[in-house]
């Protein structure tokens, strides 16, 4: 199994992290490796990581990124370097207790493709807890896999999920959500959550908002479709308004401001049409976007039966993306 840990300016935590993580890994009773990603840290995180790696005879590797690319990109870089059949991700700030890893792995062994940690009692500021509740509802809806906690990075994935996520090579990936779209069996287990051991959170409100927006636009065309729907709605209202005006005129005869209201109705109708037109253009842009995104249309895990037959190149786990 592999552990993948993204690191951005975590020099205060790395030594204590490793002193807790290593015994857990050794206690698993299976081969392990650790992949740390230095996500362009400005402090001496890289130095500390290399020191740790030097003492571990190849079981610890450090991926040095050229600059700060963000947590999820760092995890992707780590995924690509990892080799284990099971891959566990974990934050470097000790908010995720490494001691939970055996339980995640046990859940994978039970046949789950993805196992998410669920921070029942979060140690974060109140505004983050509320924002995150909303975020999880929305993500569950968009991804179609309900989970209490999409933000928890203490998670375990099976190899084929990791490979598919890496192959997508998305520019603004939200790893837990993306992984869930490829999983057949998903489980969630409650895990502990602690205060950040040292240093400061790398996310401010703006960063979190950006992440959420990425997620919404990364998974659905709903925002674009809402534009078209709004347009149709406005036009229908305008037509109804025109009918009311006509009825009014027939019943009460010409009114002083009748022409003005008629103009309003016509205006609203065309405003609606403009919305609709924008939405339609958006639909086409959206289709291009879905194609360009390069997510596999399907993933073949295995072909059963017909053993001994020559297997040609069209059958295989890697989707054809040429
Ligand atoms: N991180 C990273 N690159 C970034 C931001 C964060 O690799 O640009 C890492 C960070 O070092 C930590 C994890 O991602 O291991 C989670 O970050 P943090 O604890 O600041 O997030 P929070 O717990 O506040 O959501
Ligand atoms: Mg943290």
């Amino acid at each position: 199994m592999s552990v993948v840990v993204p690191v951005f300016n975590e020099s205060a935590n790395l030594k204590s992290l490793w002193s807790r993580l290593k015994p857990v890994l050794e206690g698993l009773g299976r081969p392990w490796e650790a992949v740390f990603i230095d996500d362009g840290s400005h402090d001496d995180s890289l130095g500390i990581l290399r020191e740790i790696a030097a003492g571990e005879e190849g079981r610890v590797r450090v991926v040095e990124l050229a600059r700060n690319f963000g947590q999820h990109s760092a995890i992707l870089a780590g995924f690509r370097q990892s080799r284990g059949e099971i891959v566990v991700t974990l934050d470097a700030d000790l908010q995720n207790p490494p001691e939970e890893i055996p339980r995640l792995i046990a859940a994978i062994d039970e046949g789950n493709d993805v196992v998410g940690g669920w921070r029942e009692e979060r140690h974060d500021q109140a505004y983050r807890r509320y924002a995150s509740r909303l975020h999880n509802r929305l993500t569950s809806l968009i991804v179609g896999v309900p989970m209490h906690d999409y933000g928890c990075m203490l998670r375990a994935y099976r190899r084929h999920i990791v490979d598919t996520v890496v192959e997508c090579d998305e520019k603004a990936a939200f790893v837990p959500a993306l992984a869930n779209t490829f999983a057949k069996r998903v489980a969630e287990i409650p895990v502990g959550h602690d205060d950040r051991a040292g240093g400061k959170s790398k996310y401010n409100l703006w960063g979190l908002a950006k992440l959420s927006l990425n997620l919404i636009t990364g998974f659905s065309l709903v925002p674009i479709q809402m534009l078209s729907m709004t347009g149709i709605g406005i036009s229908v209202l305008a037509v109804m308004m025109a009918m009311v005006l006509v009825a009014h005129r027939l019943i009460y005869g010409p009114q002083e401001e009748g022409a003005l209201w008629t103009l309003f109705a016509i205006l609203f109708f065309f405003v609606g049409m403009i919305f609709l037109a924008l939405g339609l253009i958006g639909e086409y842009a959206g289709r291009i976007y879905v194609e360009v995104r390069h997510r596999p249309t399907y993933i073949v895990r295995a072909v059963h039966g017909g053993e001994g037959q020559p297997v040609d190149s069209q059958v295989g786990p890697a989707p054809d993306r040429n």
Side-chain angles (χ1 to χ4, degrees):
M1 62 84 61
S2 311
V3 206
V4 168
V5 189
V7 173
F8 180 51
N9 296 343
E10 304 281 5
S11 57
N13 303 318
L14 290 174
K15 287 214 170 100
S16 40
L17 170 69
W18 188 239
S19 70
R20 278 174 63 185
L21 183 55
K22 187 180 174 182
V24 172
L25 295 174
E26 299 209 300
L28 288 175
R30 57 176 95 199
W32 59 266
E33 64 166 5
V35 180
F36 289 94
I37 307 92
D38 173 50
D39 188 17
S41 299
H42 310 302
D43 61 4
D44 58 342
S45 293
L46 179 62
I48 301 173
L49 289 174
R50 292 186 62 175
E51 228 170 81
I52 293 173
E56 298 294 339
E57 300 141 9
R59 284 181 303 183
V60 175
R61 278 175 300 144
V62 181
V63 180
E64 177 187 349
L65 297 186
R67 48 153 265 239
N68 178 245
F69 287 94
Q71 181 183 3
H72 291 264
S73 304
I75 290 175
L76 288 187
F79 273 1
R80 195 180 279 277
Q81 292 291 324
S82 71
R83 294 172 293 207
E85 266 311 305
I86 301 172
V87 180
V88 171
T89 57
L90 170 88
D91 282 350
D93 58 358
L94 283 169
Q95 287 198 278
N96 302 138
E99 292 75 19
E100 306 276 16
I101 291 176
R103 292 177 52 228
L104 292 177
I105 291 189
I108 289 274
D109 285 341
E110 281 166 19
N112 292 297
D113 295 319
V114 174
V115 179
W118 169 18
R119 300 162 292 180
E120 274 185 310
E121 264 174 57
R122 275 186 74 161
H123 287 243
D124 281 317
Q125 287 141 302
Y127 84 87
R128 286 202 56 169
R129 291 200 300 268
Y130 294 125
S132 142
R133 202 171 304 163
L134 194 77
H135 188 265
N136 287 315
R137 294 241 174 89
L138 198 70
T139 314
S140 299
L141 204 74
I142 290 174
V143 178
V145 183
M147 273 204 165
H148 293 96
D149 197 349
Y150 268 96
C152 180
M153 282 300 150
L154 183 54
R155 305 179 95 80
Y157 308 92
R158 244 176 227 285
R159 179 84 246 161
H160 73 271
I161 301 281
V162 169
D163 286 342
T164 312
V165 167
V166 167
E167 240 191 283
C168 289
D169 194 32
E170 290 206 8
K171 306 305 165 210
F174 190 85
V175 174
L178 188 58
N180 272 5
T181 60
F182 303 130
K184 183 152 77 175
R185 270 187 69 181
V186 171
E188 200 171 29
I189 59 175
V191 293
H193 195 233
D194 297 322
D195 289 326
R196 186 171 241 286
K200 280 202 308 225
S201 170
K202 309 298 179 286
Y203 286 105
N204 51 24
L205 204 57
W206 169 243
L208 291 173
K210 227 168 59 176
L211 209 63
S212 297
L213 207 64
N214 268 346
L215 182 77
I216 297 168
T217 52
F219 276 87
S220 78
L221 302 179
V222 169
I224 291 176
Q225 283 156 354
M226 266 163 55
L227 200 65
S228 315
M229 293 306 165
T230 311
I232 293 173
I234 294 177
S235 295
V236 167
L237 284 179
V239 169
M240 275 159 54
M241 184 173 161
M243 289 191 315
V244 168
L245 287 174
V246 169
H248 198 269
R249 176 163 177 140
L250 288 180
I251 299 168
Y252 300 106
Q255 302 284 304
E256 217 170 276
E257 283 153 2
L260 189 67
W261 285 107
T262 313
L263 277 179
F264 265 134
I266 294 172
L267 181 69
F268 279 141
F269 180 75
F270 281 107
V271 166
M273 284 295 141
I274 291 172
F275 267 68
L276 179 61
L278 281 177
L280 287 180
I281 295 174
E283 278 287 329
Y284 289 109
R287 273 164 194 261
I288 295 171
Y289 159 75
V290 168
E291 288 297 325
V292 164
R293 201 162 57 172
H294 274 185
R295 274 185 209 167
T297 316
Y298 58 86
I299 308 158
V300 180
R301 266 186 87 175
V303 178
H304 303 282
E307 264 84 6
Q309 302 257 328
V311 176
D312 67 31
S313 58
Q314 28 169 323
V315 187
D320 180 16
R321 301 213 278 111
N322 292 321

